[in-house]
Amino acid sequence: MVGGAMTVEFGLDTILHQRIIDKCMSVYRDGHFHLAAFESMKQVELALKEKSGTNDKLFGTRLVDTLLGSGKSIKLTVPLGDELQEQAKSLFKGAFSYYRNYTAHDGSKIDEVICIRIMVLASELLDLIAASSISFEEIGGAKGLIERGIFDKESQISDLLSFLSSQVCPGCFDGLFEDLCERGYTDHQYQSVFDLGLIEYKQEIRDYSLPGEPADLDTFGWFELTPLGQTVLNKNQNI
């Protein structure tokens, strides 16, 4: 307690997104604050493209307008209220206009404090995207997963994605891991398609009661391919 105010200390590892920790912290610790800040904003840009499954050569605010605009766009995960989608989009545009452009073209005035602030902001943006902790593109795509020994061949990846996306039911985890084991998949392979942002688990509360009866609530869950996951599945099925 200092002057009647409570002080709270946070380690950077507790507030930064895992991608920022993995891609930026070693550069930051070496004192290359400009490069760490630039990489932070680059990871946000990359995550936006991965989340949408786009290969468009767009950057900065143009990318934000395209992917967070109307129509088939990324819906952000907004903990302060889903009605703040447009305001959250404005946060992306401001961050890209102010930080991303400066780090890409100059960055000479970025010291340690500014670098930390940019990494924290980038972490907030990655959380709003619900970005995966690992970049599918930077790991080398499907071929990278094979080279790292996570999968034996690309058809394994598409088969796993196809199987998981067919699991739609109340309590759909019942027997799931037994089925995966019987199909020859490991827990590590199962976790990797989530870590890379290829598939997501979603759920909602549904009322199965008849009119006039007490509420009969149950959790309905399902696995859903992300746009990137659908792209990977389609590509491998066409090989």
Side-chain angles (χ1 to χ4, degrees):
M1 189 83 68
V2 179
M6 180 179 293
T7 59
V8 180
E9 294 186 2
F10 291 100
L12 283 178
D13 287 356
T14 66
I15 58 177
L16 295 180
H17 191 279
Q18 189 61 47
R19 281 175 76 146
I20 302 300
I21 293 172
D22 293 341
K23 303 298 294 188
C24 307
M25 283 303 291
S26 62
V27 182
Y28 162 80
R29 292 190 180 104
D30 287 341
H32 302 301
F33 305 128
H34 160 223
L35 295 179
F38 171 71
E39 184 62 36
S40 295
M41 296 309 299
K42 178 183 172 183
Q43 287 301 315
V44 176
E45 204 164 53
L46 181 59
L48 278 169
K49 291 184 176 182
E50 288 178 345
K51 199 69 176 180
S52 67
T54 183
N55 291 317
D56 292 343
K57 297 184 181 300
L58 296 175
F59 305 94
T61 56
R62 290 182 60 199
L63 178 68
V64 173
D65 280 332
T66 300
L67 300 185
L68 301 182
S70 58
K72 294 183 178 179
S73 60
I74 297 173
K75 184 176 182 181
L76 300 174
T77 303
V78 186
L80 302 184
D82 198 46
E83 71 278 3
L84 297 176
Q85 288 280 327
E86 192 62 31
Q87 289 85 345
K89 174 185 173 181
S90 296
L91 179 61
F92 276 86
K93 292 189 69 173
F96 273 58
S97 295
Y98 186 61
Y99 284 131
R100 187 269 180 199
N101 291 348
Y102 181 71
T103 60
H105 299 111
D106 186 349
S108 59
K109 295 181 180 180
I110 295 178
D111 58 15
E112 182 175 7
V113 172
I114 295 175
C115 175
I116 291 173
R117 289 172 178 169
I118 293 174
M119 291 194 297
V120 171
L121 176 57
S123 296
E124 172 73 4
L125 298 178
L126 288 169
D127 280 342
L128 287 170
I129 304 168
S132 59
S133 59
I134 306 172
S135 166
F136 181 73
E137 180 177 311
E138 291 186 348
I139 205 174
K143 288 184 172 57
L145 290 172
I146 295 168
E147 290 172 358
R148 291 170 182 247
I150 300 174
F151 289 92
D152 295 327
K153 50 188 177 180
E154 292 191 27
S155 61
Q156 271 191 317
I157 304 171
S158 57
D159 288 345
L160 178 56
L161 292 175
S162 181
F163 170 71
L164 288 174
S165 62
S166 70
Q167 304 304 297
V168 181
C169 58
C172 66
F173 281 107
D174 295 344
L176 173 66
F177 294 102
E178 289 82 355
D179 290 341
L180 286 171
C181 184
E182 289 178 2
R183 291 170 178 267
Y185 290 107
T186 66
D187 290 346
H188 185 40
Q189 290 171 328
Y190 167 81
Q191 189 61 47
S192 70
V193 295
F194 287 92
D195 291 342
L196 291 164
L198 302 180
I199 200 162
E200 298 173 331
Y201 176 72
K202 298 187 175 183
Q203 63 180 23
E204 62 184 27
I205 303 297
R206 293 189 177 181
D207 187 352
Y208 294 95
S209 62
L210 297 174
E213 293 183 351
D216 180 14
L217 304 179
D218 198 0
T219 300
F220 185 86
W222 68 96
F223 294 96
E224 186 173 295
L225 290 172
T226 65
L228 177 62
Q230 189 64 61
T231 299
V232 172
L233 179 61
N234 292 342
K235 180 181 178 181
N236 289 339
Q237 287 179 334
N238 292 330
I239 294 177

